Amino acid sequence: MSQQVELFYAPQTRATGVRVLLEELGAPYILNVLNFKLGENRKSGFLAINPAGKVPAVRFGDTVVTEQVAIYLYLADLFPEKGLTPAVDDPLRGPYLRWFVYMASCFEPALVDRALKREEPPQSMSPYGSFDTVMENMREQLSKGPYVLGDRLTALDVLWAMGLRWGMMFGIVPEFDEFKDYTARFFERPAAVKVLQEDQNLAREQEEAAKAAGVP
């Protein structure tokens, strides 16, 4: 494939996980780096890509994709030969889609409510049930094997490893052994090691650029 994926990117954001996925896929890509501290995500050029001013976003040819889960699904399907996505007729395809959507519809809303110390909505209205239910469901799933789908590494694992790691770092996600073992194992992978190191370096560079521009 001669075309490159363009990733609209800022360090230490959800875009970091997408970059790890691109590395895992061995996909040709270029970074379009935005410095949030300088407001580059609020300029008209990027708002034409994503009016919400958020990353990640990807462009491939004339196709633009925003929203984290949609991007993971799109990229894994774009490079099926890498084996990170089950085929449509694979029995794992259903669970694969389920746990992607679970991240967006249950895990993240539950984390936001907990982080902001908001009262959980009534069960009849809640998109996720309860925070404890969400965590226990994921804990049980990870007890079945080294990866979300058991013995098979998929794009799901990039998403969940990033999400669980972030949640535990900020003291929101409970540090269950299943979560700690899973993230420790994933972040030994070369793609994750490379991207996280470069991410830290880029974050420092952006911090220095913001200070030079007089931005606190």
Side-chain angles (χ1 to χ4, degrees), residues 1 25-28 75-85:
M1 187 177 292
L25 290 167
L75 291 176
D77 284 345
L78 193 61
F79 300 93
E81 70 280 3
K82 302 301 182 179
L84 295 187
T85 177

Side-chain angles (χ1 to χ4, degrees), residues 56-69:
V58 298
R59 179 162 54 193
F60 184 73
D62 295 328
T63 300
V64 172
V65 186
T66 65
E67 313 317 317
Q68 178 176 233
V69 167

Side-chain angles (χ1 to χ4, degrees), residues 109-139:
L111 255 64
V112 170
D113 281 350
R114 179 58 59 94
L116 296 178
K117 297 180 171 56
R118 295 192 299 216
E119 184 177 351
E120 293 182 356
Q123 288 277 335
S124 60
M125 297 177 62
S126 174
Y128 58 84
S130 72
F131 179 89
D132 290 342
T133 298
V134 171
M135 297 303 138
E136 287 296 337
N137 284 346
M138 199 62 214
R139 183 184 191 181

Side-chain angles (χ1 to χ4, degrees), residues 173-186:
V173 169
E175 293 191 9
F176 294 141
D177 288 343
E178 292 87 351
F179 292 173
K180 291 191 293 184
D181 292 347
Y182 173 72
T183 54
R185 188 165 52 245
F186 182 84

Side-chain angles (χ1 to χ4, degrees), residues 25-189:
L25 290 167
Y29 70 93
I30 55 174
L31 292 180
N32 191 324
V33 180
L34 303 171
N35 190 330
F36 279 27
K37 293 181 181 297
L38 297 179
E40 292 175 352
N41 59 311
R42 304 306 307 174
K43 293 183 178 179
S44 59
F46 181 63
L47 293 178
I49 297 295
N50 187 354
K54 296 173 63 179
V55 295
V58 298
R59 179 162 54 193
F60 184 73
D62 295 328
T63 300
V64 172
V65 186
T66 65
E67 313 317 317
Q68 178 176 233
V69 167
I71 291 169
Y72 277 77
L73 291 168
Y74 176 76
L75 291 176
D77 284 345
L78 193 61
F79 300 93
E81 70 280 3
K82 302 301 182 179
L84 295 187
T85 177
V88 173
D89 59 353
D90 189 318
L92 289 176
R93 183 71 180 187
Y96 175 78
L97 296 175
R98 173 198 175 186
W99 290 109
F100 262 122
V101 175
Y102 199 76
M103 167 65 80
S105 65
C106 297
F107 183 81
E108 288 206 338
L111 255 64
V112 170
D113 281 350
R114 179 58 59 94
L116 296 178
K117 297 180 171 56
R118 295 192 299 216
E119 184 177 351
E120 293 182 356
Q123 288 277 335
S124 60
M125 297 177 62
S126 174
Y128 58 84
S130 72
F131 179 89
D132 290 342
T133 298
V134 171
M135 297 303 138
E136 287 296 337
N137 284 346
M138 199 62 214
R139 183 184 191 181
E140 180 183 0
Q141 185 66 17
L142 289 175
S143 71
K144 298 175 182 178
Y147 304 114
V148 176
L149 297 184
D151 292 330
R152 180 173 175 184
L153 174 75
T154 67
L156 266 177
D157 293 294
V158 184
L159 180 71
W160 276 100
M162 295 297 298
L164 291 171
R165 176 180 180 270
W166 181 89
M168 288 190 290
M169 282 175 56
F170 286 93
I172 307 169
V173 169
E175 293 191 9
F176 294 141
D177 288 343
E178 292 87 351
F179 292 173
K180 291 191 293 184
D181 292 347
Y182 173 72
T183 54
R185 188 165 52 245
F186 182 84
F187 286 102
E188 290 176 350
R189 296 182 64 82

